[in-house]
Amino acid sequence: MPSVVIPACNEAAGIERTLRSLLVDGIPDLEIVVVVNASSDRTAEIASDVDPGVTVIEIPTPGKSNALNVGEDAVGTFPRVFLDADVRLEPGTLTAIVEAASESHPIVAPELAYDEAGCSLAVRLYNRTERFHDYFGRGAPNASGCYAVSAAGRSRWEAFPDVISDDGFVENHFAPGESRTVVGHRAVVRPPRDLSSLITVRARIRRGMIQLARRFPRLVGKHPSQVGGVLRRMLWRPWTWASLLLYCFVRACEHLLARRQIARGEEGWGRDETSRTAD
């Protein structure tokens, strides 16, 4: 019997979509816990109304890591799926990743797919570069906002620490060969709708990577940077050069913005609101 933990803060626009994508597979005795943390909208109310089998816990304390820990205290079964509240799984995906979590692959994730409706051309071009980046095509977590771990895999760390990059923290507990992307089953993510929002989100990701390297220097480093490989693959494909130029611009901006935010002591989440819209 698998379980799903979903941290959610002000996700009223998409939480029903996310929950129904889990229920459509009809997995018997599925445990679903939504931890609504420091929300000021109707997230908890909407989640409670979706299905009586969904457990909703409201807490006043903000923070995704804290919400993950509270959610885990409320479930007891494996494999365990951690799912972002704004991600929709295609039918059959939950079943596939739960069945794929095993002794040889203690952590798995679905393929990443983007819902680019309303996205600017710049965002679409940037997203095209990810097909050349190994991180998005294999392993887990893989930026899909969803991953499943076996009981043995989950035993590798204790509580989630208060970090920006909880996915990065988890990833570094596994060797590259232990993780797997389950091909043919997708998690649909809504990316930022404009370039400015994309850079803001990328800067938060960069701050998370820097924070992990500083706080857990012995943990990080199992997964080397893939940026060089991306550049080499795209340079040999002239039709991708427009995307490559934009990719380089965004990466330069994210580094600069992240460093400035760290120097100023900014700790904001860098949440993107442009993608959080109702269907």
Side-chain angles (χ1 to χ4, degrees):
M1 180 174 69
S3 57
V4 183
V5 176
I6 306 174
C9 176
N10 292 336
E11 298 287 0
I15 190 64
E16 180 176 356
R17 175 177 63 233
T18 296
L19 290 173
R20 294 201 182 282
S21 76
L22 297 173
L23 296 169
V24 71
D25 281 14
I27 297 176
D29 300 318
L30 175 65
E31 285 187 290
I32 302 177
V33 173
V34 181
V35 182
V36 182
N37 59 102
S39 281
S40 58
D41 64 5
R42 297 179 57 245
T43 300
E45 178 184 347
I46 294 171
S48 297
D49 289 342
V50 170
D51 188 273
V54 176
T55 299
V56 178
I57 302 173
E58 291 188 77
I59 58 175
T61 307
K64 182 180 178 182
S65 295
N66 180 61
L68 289 170
N69 291 328
V70 171
E72 285 208 278
D73 287 341
V75 297
T77 57
F78 288 93
R80 184 162 300 159
V81 177
F82 298 94
L83 178 65
D84 288 351
D86 58 341
V87 173
R88 173 177 62 84
L89 301 186
E90 292 186 342
T93 297
L94 179 61
T95 300
I97 63 174
V98 165
E99 292 177 348
S102 62
E103 183 177 347
S104 58
H105 294 105
I107 181 169
V108 299
E111 288 186 302
L112 167 65
Y114 283 128
D115 174 2
E116 294 184 319
C119 286
S120 67
L121 176 60
V123 171
R124 291 171 183 263
L125 286 173
Y126 180 86
N127 290 343
R128 290 175 189 172
T129 65
E130 293 182 351
R131 73 185 68 176
F132 301 100
H133 201 303
D134 286 343
Y135 177 77
F136 299 96
R138 65 187 183 198
N142 59 359
S144 65
C146 174
Y147 60 91
V149 293
S150 66
R154 180 59 188 86
S155 68
R156 298 194 184 186
W157 72 95
E158 296 181 359
F160 283 90
D162 184 15
V163 293
I164 298 170
S165 180
D166 54 284
D167 284 5
F169 172 79
V170 170
E171 177 188 16
N172 281 285
H173 283 83
F174 299 89
E178 293 183 302
S179 60
R180 173 190 170 196
T181 291
V182 183
V183 178
H185 299 278
R186 308 195 305 173
V188 182
V189 175
R190 292 185 169 187
R193 269 28 189 175
D194 55 67
L195 184 59
S196 175
S197 299
L198 174 63
I199 292 172
T200 298
V201 169
R202 288 296 317 173
R204 182 249 296 167
I205 294 172
R206 179 61 51 186
R207 282 191 289 119
M209 295 169 63
I210 295 171
Q211 182 189 57
L212 283 180
R214 290 178 176 177
R215 288 187 57 182
F216 304 98
R218 295 183 180 180
L219 179 65
V220 301
K222 295 180 181 179
H223 302 267
S225 172
Q226 300 291 332
V227 174
V230 173
L231 297 178
R232 286 192 297 272
R233 295 180 189 115
M234 296 184 73
L235 281 173
W236 286 101
R237 296 169 173 84
W239 59 91
T240 69
W241 287 355
S243 297
L244 177 58
L245 287 173
L246 185 65
Y247 175 81
C248 293
F249 172 76
V250 171
R251 296 303 292 264
C253 288
E254 82 179 49
H255 275 271
L256 180 60
L257 180 57
R259 294 290 181 180
R260 286 179 175 176
Q261 290 172 339
I262 292 172
R264 293 195 295 258
E266 295 183 18
E267 298 180 353
W269 180 248
R271 171 183 164 114
D272 170 53
E273 299 294 344
T274 64
S275 60
R276 285 172 165 82
T277 57
D279 290 328

